[in-house]
Amino acid sequence: NTVKDIVEELVADNLVNGERLGNTMFYWKFATDDKHKVKKEILVLSSEYDVLLENIASIEDEIKLLLEDRVENEQRQMKLRQLGDLTEQIKVKETTIEEMKQNDP
Protein backbone atom coordinates (compact mmCIF):
# COMPACT_ATOMS: atom_id res chain seq x y z
CA ASN A 1 0.00 0.00 0.00
CA THR A 2 1.12 3.49 -0.75
CA VAL A 3 0.81 6.38 1.64
CA LYS A 4 -1.88 7.83 -0.62
CA ASP A 5 -3.96 4.62 -0.33
CA ILE A 6 -3.62 4.57 3.44
CA VAL A 7 -4.59 8.23 3.78
CA GLU A 8 -7.61 7.69 1.50
CA GLU A 9 -8.71 4.76 3.69
CA LEU A 10 -8.38 6.93 6.79
CA VAL A 11 -10.51 9.62 5.15
CA ALA A 12 -13.09 7.03 4.09
CA ASP A 13 -13.25 5.74 7.67
CA ASN A 14 -13.65 9.33 8.98
CA LEU A 15 -10.46 9.01 10.99
CA VAL A 16 -8.81 11.88 9.10
CA ASN A 17 -10.38 14.91 7.44
CA GLY A 18 -9.46 15.86 3.91
CA GLU A 19 -10.27 18.71 1.56
CA ARG A 20 -9.08 19.75 -1.87
CA LEU A 21 -7.95 23.37 -2.20
CA GLY A 22 -7.05 24.06 -5.79
CA ASN A 23 -4.79 21.30 -7.02
CA THR A 24 -3.63 20.35 -3.53
CA MET A 25 -5.29 17.92 -1.15
CA PHE A 26 -4.97 18.81 2.53
CA TYR A 27 -5.44 16.29 5.36
CA TRP A 28 -5.79 17.04 9.05
CA LYS A 29 -6.89 15.59 12.33
CA PHE A 30 -7.70 17.55 15.48
CA ALA A 31 -7.52 15.86 18.85
CA THR A 32 -10.76 17.53 19.89
CA ASP A 33 -12.69 15.92 17.00
CA ASP A 34 -12.68 12.53 18.72
CA LYS A 35 -13.50 14.12 22.05
CA HIS A 36 -16.55 15.88 20.59
CA LYS A 37 -17.65 12.71 18.81
CA VAL A 38 -17.40 10.69 22.02
CA LYS A 39 -19.30 13.32 24.03
CA LYS A 40 -22.07 13.38 21.43
CA GLU A 41 -22.28 9.59 21.43
CA ILE A 42 -22.39 9.55 25.24
CA LEU A 43 -25.32 11.98 25.20
CA VAL A 44 -27.22 9.90 22.66
CA LEU A 45 -26.57 6.65 24.52
CA SER A 46 -27.48 8.23 27.86
CA SER A 47 -30.84 9.37 26.54
CA GLU A 48 -31.47 5.92 25.02
CA TYR A 49 -30.51 4.36 28.35
CA ASP A 50 -32.99 6.56 30.21
CA VAL A 51 -35.77 5.62 27.79
CA LEU A 52 -34.94 1.94 28.21
CA LEU A 53 -35.00 2.24 31.99
CA GLU A 54 -38.44 3.83 31.80
CA ASN A 55 -39.62 1.03 29.51
CA ILE A 56 -38.26 -1.60 31.90
CA ALA A 57 -40.04 0.02 34.84
CA SER A 58 -43.36 0.18 33.01
CA ILE A 59 -43.05 -3.43 31.84
CA GLU A 60 -42.19 -4.59 35.35
CA ASP A 61 -45.29 -2.79 36.66
CA GLU A 62 -47.39 -4.43 33.97
CA ILE A 63 -45.97 -7.84 34.88
CA LYS A 64 -46.83 -7.30 38.55
CA LEU A 65 -50.40 -6.38 37.64
CA LEU A 66 -50.76 -9.39 35.36
CA LEU A 67 -49.33 -11.73 38.01
CA GLU A 68 -51.79 -10.40 40.56
CA ASP A 69 -54.68 -11.03 38.16
CA ARG A 70 -53.49 -14.53 37.23
CA VAL A 71 -55.53 -17.32 38.72
CA GLU A 72 -53.67 -20.54 39.43
CA ASN A 73 -55.83 -23.52 38.53
CA GLU A 74 -55.42 -27.12 37.47
CA GLN A 75 -56.08 -26.37 33.78
CA ARG A 76 -53.22 -23.85 33.69
CA GLN A 77 -50.89 -26.27 35.45
CA MET A 78 -51.80 -28.99 32.94
CA LYS A 79 -51.10 -26.67 30.00
CA LEU A 80 -47.74 -25.67 31.50
CA ARG A 81 -46.81 -29.35 31.83
CA GLN A 82 -47.86 -29.94 28.21
CA LEU A 83 -45.75 -26.98 27.14
CA GLY A 84 -42.74 -28.40 28.95
CA ASP A 85 -43.28 -31.83 27.39
CA LEU A 86 -43.65 -30.38 23.89
CA THR A 87 -40.57 -28.21 24.35
CA GLU A 88 -38.58 -31.29 25.37
CA GLN A 89 -39.87 -33.18 22.33
CA ILE A 90 -38.78 -30.33 20.06
CA LYS A 91 -35.27 -30.40 21.56
CA VAL A 92 -35.02 -34.15 21.00
CA LYS A 93 -36.21 -33.85 17.39
CA GLU A 94 -33.81 -30.97 16.70
CA THR A 95 -30.95 -33.08 18.06
CA THR A 96 -32.01 -35.95 15.82
CA ILE A 97 -32.15 -33.63 12.79
CA GLU A 98 -28.65 -32.33 13.54
CA GLU A 99 -27.35 -35.90 13.80
CA MET A 100 -28.99 -36.77 10.49
CA LYS A 101 -27.50 -33.67 8.83
CA GLN A 102 -24.03 -34.78 9.89
CA ASN A 103 -24.58 -38.23 8.35
CA ASP A 104 -26.13 -36.86 5.15
CA PRO A 105 -23.75 -37.42 2.21
Side-chain angles (χ1 to χ4, degrees), residues 8-24:
E8 286 176 356
E9 283 184 37
L10 290 172
V11 171
D13 293 339
N14 291 325
L15 297 174
V16 173
N17 298 319
E19 188 171 317
R20 180 173 298 280
L21 296 174
N23 291 334
T24 307

Side-chain angles (χ1 to χ4, degrees), residues 63-100:
I63 289 172
K64 286 178 186 175
L65 289 174
L66 291 172
L67 286 175
E68 290 171 1
D69 292 342
R70 179 179 288 167
V71 177
E72 290 292 330
N73 58 25
E74 184 58 36
Q75 183 181 7
R76 182 173 187 282
Q77 293 298 323
M78 184 180 70
K79 288 184 179 184
L80 287 174
R81 283 191 295 274
Q82 285 178 334
L83 175 64
D85 293 342
L86 291 173
T87 303
E88 187 62 34
Q89 288 176 12
I90 289 172
K91 288 179 185 176
V92 169
K93 291 183 189 237
E94 286 175 344
T95 304
T96 304
I97 289 172
E98 288 300 317
E99 290 173 0
M100 288 181 173

Side-chain angles (χ1 to χ4, degrees), residues 7-70:
V7 171
E8 286 176 356
E9 283 184 37
L10 290 172
V11 171
D13 293 339
N14 291 325
L15 297 174
V16 173
N17 298 319
E19 188 171 317
R20 180 173 298 280
L21 296 174
N23 291 334
T24 307
M25 190 71 178
F26 289 94
Y27 301 98
W28 69 93
K29 176 68 176 172
F30 296 117
T32 57
D33 289 347
D34 289 338
K35 186 176 180 180
H36 290 297
K37 187 187 296 185
V38 169
K39 280 185 178 182
K40 184 177 179 182
E41 189 173 340
I42 287 172
L43 288 174
V44 169
L45 292 174
S46 294
S47 64
E48 289 178 11
Y49 178 75
D50 292 339
V51 169
L52 290 173
L53 284 179
E54 290 174 9
N55 288 345
I56 289 171
S58 67
I59 290 171
E60 286 176 344
D61 292 341
E62 186 176 348
I63 289 172
K64 286 178 186 175
L65 289 174
L66 291 172
L67 286 175
E68 290 171 1
D69 292 342
R70 179 179 288 167

